[in-house]
Amino acid sequence: MSETKALPLVGIELMGGDEAEAIVEAAHEAQDNIVVTRNAAVVIVSAPGRLQISPEAVRAHLGRDDWAGSDIQVIMASYFGFIRQMDDDLILLEWLRKDGG
């Protein structure tokens, strides 16, 4: 009998607004297993083990070219997991394995 271990969730908690909605859409495009939780003031975007967001896709959803990957920090209230990359190419959160990979 084999057991499948569920991956822990990683994610970001964002202040609501146009940028948060663009990030949600970009996350949906990058992977199909994201979970979006909406509360009165925040939007939480999470996924098991890894969350990937393309800043280029965020810019496309916003309809402007001036949004940089690091701009997510302005509306990010919190995050869970480890930020592996946050630049104009990719925003990546994931849990790190014990071997560092």
Side-chain angles (χ1 to χ4, degrees), residues 8-11 47-52 79-85 90-97 100-101:
L9 291 177
V10 299
R50 177 183 176 102
L51 177 63
Q52 180 174 313
Y79 67 93
F80 43 105
F82 295 94
I83 298 175
R84 291 283 295 222
Q85 184 174 343
L90 181 67
I91 299 167
L92 177 63
L93 286 86
E94 64 185 351
W95 285 113
L96 302 177
R97 297 188 316 251

Side-chain angles (χ1 to χ4, degrees), residues 11-45:
I12 51 177
E13 182 178 299
L14 306 167
M15 293 184 293
D18 292 341
E19 288 186 6
E21 294 307 318
I23 291 166
V24 167
E25 292 302 318
H28 271 299
E29 288 178 5
Q31 59 193 96
D32 60 0
N33 62 345
I34 71 161
V35 176
V36 177
T37 306
R38 297 175 189 283
N39 294 322
V42 297
V43 176
I44 302 168
V45 183

